[in-house]
Amino acid sequence: MSQETQTVSTETALRVVADPCRRSILSQLIDGEETVITTDTLVDRINLENPPPETTTTHADPLLIDVHHTHLLKLEEANLIEYDPRTKTIRYTSNERVGRVLQFVTEELE
């Protein structure tokens, strides 16, 4: 099955779009002009949308950790991205159903 004709069940689309962080990730991937993006760039763009509270800690960005260990894995499991943790690159696999569900949730329910 080619990437252009890939189907995702309604349940999977709803589960993926249910999380606000994954909605932000998907929005960045769908609206972005790049075909491949790094996790650092993705997290920077999400942080611009919703700046984290000021902290004095120098620990790793909690959003980056959450994106890397949770959200990208779920998106990859749903076959919406190809994620290479070694190079920290993400390639979005377009999906019309997920795009429509995302658009509905962001426009009608947020």
Side-chain angles (χ1 to χ4, degrees):
M1 183 176 289
S2 73
Q3 290 181 357
E4 292 79 24
T5 60
Q6 174 206 2
T7 59
V8 170
S9 71
T10 302
E11 293 80 11
T12 298
L14 290 169
R15 188 173 42 253
V16 166
V17 173
D19 185 85
C21 187
R22 285 194 293 276
R23 286 196 301 272
S24 291
I25 291 169
L26 286 169
S27 293
Q28 290 298 321
L29 295 172
I30 291 169
D31 296 339
E33 295 180 12
E34 307 93 340
T35 57
V36 176
I37 188 171
T38 67
T39 54
D40 291 335
T41 300
L42 178 66
V43 168
D44 287 346
R45 290 181 183 172
I46 293 170
N47 277 334
L48 286 174
E49 284 182 355
N50 304 301
E54 291 297 320
T55 61
T56 56
T57 169
T58 58
H59 295 251
D61 183 350
L63 178 60
L64 180 61
I65 294 168
D66 200 28
V67 165
H68 174 74
H69 288 288
T70 303
H71 301 297
L72 294 180
L73 298 177
K74 289 187 184 290
L75 291 170
E76 188 172 45
E77 185 177 279
N79 293 318
L80 295 173
I81 64 166
E82 294 175 23
Y83 175 53
D84 184 348
R86 187 178 42 79
T87 61
K88 298 182 182 181
T89 55
I90 305 155
R91 179 184 307 274
Y92 176 64
T93 304
S94 180
N95 184 282
E96 187 178 332
R97 177 173 286 157
V98 171
R100 287 193 318 251
V101 171
L102 177 64
Q103 181 178 6
F104 174 77
V105 169
T106 57
E107 291 178 2
E108 302 293 330
L109 301 178
E110 285 190 332

